[in-house]
Amino acid sequence: MKRLVALITCLVLGLFSMSLIGCAGGQPQSDNGTVSVKYFSAATEMLPALKQGQLSIGLLPEPAATQLTKMANDKTWYRLDVQALYDEETKAYPQAVVMVKESFLNTYPNAVDEMANAFGANVEWVKQNTADAVAAVNAKVESGLTPSLKAENITEQVVDNCKIYWQGAEDSKESVKGYLNDCIAVSQDSAVAVGDEFFYAGQASGEFTADTVKVFAPDGAPALAIAKFINDNEDFGTNKTFEYTVVSSSNIGPKVATGAGDIVIIPVNAASKLYNKNASAKYKLAGVITHGNLYIMSSVPFVTLADKTIGVIGQGLVPDLTLKTILNKNKINVKIAA
């Protein structure tokens, strides 16, 4: 059965890719139509529109994509893996990265290795203890923010769909640079090209003297990625007190910009823009922890996106930039829906 599902998925993706690039005598066209993008501030805003049929296609992250299939189970939902559309070979791209203050890296040089070595066990724990994982994350949500994670929407498959795994700075260097360049090609203000100095390579400066290590993560898959660390009050061998806080995606940038966070999980394009903006709190990229968790969900069979309207979360953010990169590579125009 799994093989059959995999074959069907590959066939659908293949057909959809063909529909993206269009066909004119077997040759790609220079203009393959236009996609209208309707922006939503959050998945919680888009889901009702999809459920009620006001919108038939939406770009959603996990676990919101799975939540849609449960809350609107009167419809058949077709799913396309955006990661596979972006990169057929790796089916991934760098999304959420771990930025760490240089002073912390210099004072506790083994902490990153401890984090990397514990990451696989963290993910397996989340799969086997979804209720505890969600409870741990939601207990650390900042005041005023409604948690997005619900235990009933988290399964082993959903965790796999979130593509949570550790990829160190050296191993992720080329993919990070490539993805940032793709973002810049879509919108020059969306990211900043980075050099090798952006990545932690075992060398840092400064002395970390604070009693508490402040860790910030945006709500959703990035927070789920560190759920066991939160649950265990993990200190990565530093014997320091770690203070974990889950914030809204709109509030994660200032944690780097102001130097408030010592370890911050942040979208890679935002990290590039904020890199060393605060001279008193320099950061390095220590690793990539999520590698794309976006899915195009549709209540109608996929034929082509041309002349269709698709809901997207967050104008200028990773979902928007990734979709536009795919459309741009396939010569499909984009306009904002009224």
Side-chain angles (χ1 to χ4, degrees):
M1 178 61 72
K2 289 184 178 180
R3 178 176 293 181
L4 177 60
V5 171
L7 288 172
I8 292 173
T9 301
C10 289
L11 177 62
V12 171
L13 285 171
L15 290 173
F16 184 67
S17 295
M18 291 173 63
S19 74
L20 275 177
I21 63 175
C23 180
Q27 299 298 319
Q29 298 177 8
S30 58
D31 184 347
N32 293 319
T34 299
V35 167
S36 296
V37 174
K38 182 176 179 62
Y39 289 112
F40 294 83
S41 61
T44 52
E45 182 185 343
M46 191 197 305
L47 290 175
L50 289 165
K51 182 180 185 300
Q52 296 163 14
Q54 299 166 353
L55 187 69
S56 60
I57 305 174
L59 179 65
L60 288 170
E62 281 285 26
T66 294
Q67 182 179 348
L68 172 66
T69 64
K70 292 184 177 182
M71 67 182 288
N73 58 12
D74 57 322
K75 295 180 173 66
T76 298
W77 291 100
Y78 302 88
R79 175 192 293 248
L80 286 175
D81 185 335
V82 170
Q83 292 65 231
L85 294 174
Y86 178 83
D87 190 321
E88 292 182 11
E89 182 177 353
T90 65
K91 296 179 176 61
Y93 55 89
Q95 186 172 357
V97 301
V98 181
M99 300 298 290
V100 185
K101 278 185 179 176
E102 280 203 50
S103 59
F104 181 85
L105 291 169
N106 186 53
T107 307
Y108 300 101
N110 296 326
V112 170
D113 288 339
E114 293 282 343
M115 184 181 296
N117 292 337
F119 217 81
N122 176 78
V123 175
E124 288 306 310
W125 180 85
V126 170
K127 289 181 179 180
Q128 301 302 320
N129 302 274
T130 54
D132 290 339
V134 171
V137 169
N138 290 347
K140 298 298 182 179
V141 168
E142 66 179 345
S143 177
L145 175 64
T146 300
S148 69
L149 297 179
K150 296 181 180 179
E152 60 267 27
N153 295 326
I154 309 297
T155 64
E156 288 191 35
Q157 184 60 58
V158 168
V159 177
D160 286 339
N161 289 347
C162 289
K163 297 188 182 293
I164 299 170
Y165 57 88
W166 179 274
Q167 188 177 36
E170 183 62 30
D171 292 336
S172 65
K173 186 181 296 184
E174 294 309 313
S175 63
V176 166
K177 289 181 178 179
Y179 183 75
L180 291 175
N181 287 336
D182 283 342
C183 290
I184 294 168
V186 169
S187 172
Q188 290 188 344
D189 297 331
S190 66
V192 174
V194 298
D196 289 350
E197 69 281 357
F198 180 70
F199 304 87
Y200 178 56
Q203 296 181 338
S205 60
E207 182 181 1
F208 188 83
T209 59
D211 294 329
T212 300
V213 181
K214 296 183 178 180
V215 183
F216 292 94
D219 192 23
L224 192 66
I226 60 168
K228 189 174 189 296
F229 300 155
I230 295 173
N231 184 77
D232 297 348
N233 292 315
E234 180 62 58
D235 67 4
F236 308 107
T238 63
N239 292 320
K240 287 281 187 179
T241 298
F242 271 57
E243 181 180 282
Y244 293 89
T245 306
V246 177
V247 304
S248 68
S249 57
S250 61
N251 286 340
I252 198 66
K255 305 307 179 184
V256 171
T258 64
D262 303 310
I263 300 174
V264 183
I265 299 174
I266 186 171
V268 64
N269 67 311
S272 73
K273 295 172 68 175
L274 294 169
Y275 174 58
N276 282 353
K277 288 290 186 181
N278 186 335
S280 65
K282 296 183 179 180
Y283 293 80
K284 295 281 189 183
L285 184 149
V288 180
I289 62 168
T290 65
H291 306 260
N293 66 329
L294 296 170
Y295 297 85
I296 298 175
M297 306 294 292
S298 175
S299 59
V300 296
F302 289 107
V303 177
T304 177
L305 277 184
D307 303 321
K308 299 292 194 305
T309 297
I310 180 170
V312 175
I313 298 170
Q315 187 172 5
L317 303 181
V318 166
D320 184 32
L321 295 170
T322 307
L323 176 66
K324 285 179 177 176
T325 294
I326 294 168
L327 297 176
N328 185 48
K329 287 180 178 180
N330 289 284
K331 303 184 186 304
I332 296 178
N333 301 314
V334 178
K335 71 176 183 180
I336 299 176

